[in-house]
Amino acid sequence: MKRHIVIPVFVPHKGCPFDCIYCNQKTISGQSGETSEAEIRKTIEEHLNTVGDAFVEIGFYGGSFTGISQEEQKWYLEIGCSYIKAGRVKQLRLSTRPDYINTGILDFLSAYQVRTIELGAQSLDEQVLNNSNRGHNIDAVVQASRLIKDRGFSLGIQTMLGLPGDTRQKALETAEKVVKIAPEIVRIYPTLVIRDTFLEKLYLAGKYTPLGLEEAVDISAELLEMYEQNNINVVRIGLQPTESISREGEVIAGPFHPAFRQLVQSRLMRNRLEQFFREKNLSDLKEVVIQCKSKNISNIIGQKRENLQKLMTDFNISSIKVIVNDNINEFNVKY
């Protein structure tokens, strides 16, 4: 299968009158101020020079795209469509708020080769939405999702963990509701405390405690398992590192890690191995050999071999070896 590449064009905080307590789009996107057509085209061209024969989309992210004026939406979309007409890009996608979707908006977008719409739902718990000053309720997410799917667009849902009032149970319940909505794609973002946000003020005042890295990884692994079991593609876990989004930059606190997704995938693999060991009553053994596909080996071993060390300690196993075998499914254990 061809690689699927999305070229991101950021539209910082445009079209959104709300000030969600965690939000500083200029920091998150690594971009501030207006962007010229020349700058947008430069970004697109730089990406196109590296994609080879991949399936390529242009994505308009940041802010709430369908909340800006239709004239400005058209300006951005026509830039994207020029690459489709030239045969260099296949289609367009965008992100927006659930309460900025209606049939008229969808009619407009369908005329400009938009094929995927991602909704910033963040949570499907009313208290968490209220605490975060989202400005919409759960029903807005459900109704917008239905309209998007009924019109034949691909649906994406963006969710966050660890917002004020959120819990592990609420995160799992949100994921269960997302599964019922049945989007094609999902993003999972642990909440970070970003400089110059209201959440920073709450944190500094001792009124908000972000998730620790271990807890965020644990919960994200549970969510990834749930979505994979329901054939929902998790396209991103954790914010992509930029010059601003780093421990040395604008992140004040929270479970930031430059390889957060890898940590989550490794934790999920360890969870599956632990379940297998318990079911097979594998303990007090001298040696266990785990066979796996080459793409899974780092997830099975874990960073600094932590997965193997934990399995050896918890199940009193003297030695665990990992061998590559690309002819099996996920992993195979010999003992």
Side-chain angles (χ1 to χ4, degrees):
M1 295 179 64
K2 286 187 176 182
R3 289 187 304 150
H4 191 147
I5 303 294
V6 179
I7 299 174
V9 175
F10 288 100
V11 190
H13 209 63
K14 279 187 171 289
C16 185
F18 298 94
D19 287 315
C20 301
I21 64 172
Y22 53 81
C23 186
N24 183 333
Q25 279 291 347
K26 292 180 181 179
T27 291
I28 292 171
S29 67
Q31 174 183 328
S32 61
E34 296 294 328
T35 304
S36 68
E37 180 173 344
E39 289 172 322
I40 292 173
R41 290 190 179 276
K42 180 182 178 183
T43 296
I44 294 171
E45 291 290 344
E46 287 174 349
H47 281 81
L48 287 175
N49 288 336
T50 65
V51 297
D53 64 347
F55 184 97
V56 183
E57 292 182 87
I58 294 173
F60 296 103
Y61 297 120
S64 296
F65 190 85
T66 58
I68 64 179
S69 70
Q70 197 167 93
E71 180 180 352
E72 195 166 3
Q73 290 180 59
K74 183 178 178 182
W75 181 78
Y76 281 102
L77 294 171
E78 285 183 345
I79 293 173
C81 283
S82 70
Y83 288 92
I84 296 176
K85 291 176 183 177
R88 303 180 69 193
V89 168
K90 296 297 184 183
Q91 57 194 38
L92 307 181
R93 67 168 60 202
L94 56 87
S95 63
T96 193
R97 291 174 57 88
D99 47 344
Y100 284 4
I101 289 292
N102 58 42
T103 55
I105 288 171
L106 296 178
D107 287 341
F108 173 75
L109 296 178
S110 65
Y112 285 94
Q113 302 297 312
V114 175
R115 293 294 175 263
T116 301
I117 300 174
E118 296 188 44
L119 297 178
Q122 317 315 0
S123 176
L124 292 177
D125 180 89
E126 296 289 7
Q127 181 187 8
V128 174
L129 291 175
N130 288 334
N131 290 350
S132 303
N133 195 33
R134 281 295 296 167
H136 67 77
N137 57 17
I138 296 173
D139 188 59
V141 180
V142 174
Q143 294 303 319
S145 298
R146 180 183 57 78
L147 287 175
I148 289 167
K149 295 182 68 175
D150 286 350
R151 290 298 304 272
F153 294 90
S154 292
L155 172 67
I157 298 287
Q158 301 172 5
T159 63
M160 296 182 68
L161 307 176
L163 288 166
D166 198 18
T167 63
R168 177 188 293 262
Q169 185 59 37
K170 287 182 178 182
L172 294 173
E173 290 171 356
T174 285
E176 290 170 356
K177 293 173 183 177
V178 169
V179 167
K180 290 180 180 179
I181 292 173
E184 281 74 24
I185 62 174
V186 164
R187 296 175 188 263
I188 302 171
Y189 294 121
T191 302
L192 303 178
V193 180
I194 305 296
R195 193 181 305 279
D196 296 330
T197 62
F198 189 73
L199 193 60
E200 179 194 14
K201 295 180 180 179
L202 292 180
Y203 170 73
L204 294 176
K207 297 180 180 179
Y208 169 72
T209 302
L211 292 174
L213 182 61
E214 277 293 304
E215 186 177 10
V217 168
D218 259 347
I219 298 172
S220 296
E222 290 187 67
L223 302 187
L224 179 59
E225 175 84 5
M226 188 182 302
Y227 291 133
E228 286 188 349
Q229 288 178 349
N230 287 277
N231 298 312
I232 297 173
N233 184 18
V234 181
V235 296
R236 181 165 293 283
I237 309 175
L239 283 175
Q240 182 175 349
T242 66
E243 290 182 1
S244 296
I245 299 298
S246 67
R247 275 293 181 191
E248 292 73 31
E250 297 296 305
V251 176
I252 304 302
F256 174 79
H257 191 284
F260 187 81
R261 182 178 188 125
Q262 200 277 325
L263 294 181
V264 172
Q265 291 174 322
S266 182
R267 182 63 50 85
L268 175 55
M269 189 65 72
R270 191 174 84 193
N271 292 345
R272 290 172 176 171
L273 284 166
E274 287 175 340
Q275 181 178 355
F276 181 90
F277 278 38
R278 285 193 295 269
E279 289 176 351
K280 299 297 183 180
N281 196 27
L282 301 186
S283 61
D284 304 317
L285 297 173
K286 288 186 177 180
E287 182 177 89
V288 169
V289 177
I290 301 174
Q291 295 181 335
C292 67
K293 290 184 177 295
S294 54
K295 68 178 183 179
N296 288 333
I297 190 165
S298 62
N299 290 333
I300 284 180
I301 293 174
Q303 286 200 343
K304 300 179 180 179
R305 300 180 64 85
E306 66 177 2
N307 283 358
L308 300 188
Q309 291 296 334
K310 189 169 191 306
L311 289 169
M312 291 166 62
T313 298
D314 290 353
F315 294 91
N316 194 29
I317 296 171
S318 300
S319 173
I320 297 180
K321 293 182 179 179
V322 181
I323 299 175
V324 172
N325 183 347
D326 285 317
N327 295 318
I328 62 176
N329 288 326
E330 186 174 52
F331 63 77
N332 185 29
V333 180
K334 293 186 177 182
Y335 47 91

